Amino acid sequence: MDNLRQHRDYLDAEWRALQAAPLSARKAMLVAALLDAYVDRNFANDPAAEDILAYRADVAEASPALGQIMDLCSGRARLVTEAVEVPIADYGALAVEDFMVSLYNDHSVQRLTVVASDGTRRAMLAIVAEAMAGL
């Protein structure tokens, strides 16, 4: 159990680092891998759990965000950096840096996006935030 606490502390620290560098694909993949491994460690600490694949499927069903993270780590989804359009109505929520970038880039900013196997796209930071809340 102490090992799980250490893992969670490391995960929390790396999540803060990703929030400070939201375009770092390397940091995003590290957080994703730590989340994925956390699911496996929870399995190892659950005496009632017998089948790792069934356990992971149950976790993915209970937390779609964790399911998306597990898909990313397994290669069923991929991480891309792409320009995302920002509606002018949302400009007030942008950081000053993003606001300046959007002015010169046709109202768009770069974001890390997870592309699922079906082609749907979702912001990586939003997925991680939900997955972290679901732990």
Side-chain angles (χ1 to χ4, degrees), residues 64 67-80 113-122 127:
Q68 289 176 306
I69 293 294
M70 290 187 285
D71 283 350
L72 178 62
C73 289
S74 71
R76 289 186 299 269
R78 59 190 171 89
L79 185 66
V80 298
T113 304
V114 174
V115 181
S117 59
D118 65 0
T120 58
R121 290 170 145 62
R122 186 144 182 253
I127 294 170

Side-chain angles (χ1 to χ4, degrees), residues 81-133:
T81 303
E82 63 185 3
V84 176
E85 187 173 331
V86 179
I88 293 176
D90 293 345
Y91 266 31
L94 289 176
V96 172
E97 299 85 359
D98 283 341
F99 173 73
M100 295 305 292
V101 167
S102 72
L103 288 177
Y104 296 101
N105 289 302
D106 199 26
H107 307 292
S108 66
V109 293
Q110 285 191 322
R111 293 286 187 254
L112 289 178
T113 304
V114 174
V115 181
S117 59
D118 65 0
T120 58
R121 290 170 145 62
R122 186 144 182 253
M124 178 65 172
L125 290 181
I127 294 170
V128 173
E130 283 180 35
M132 293 293 292

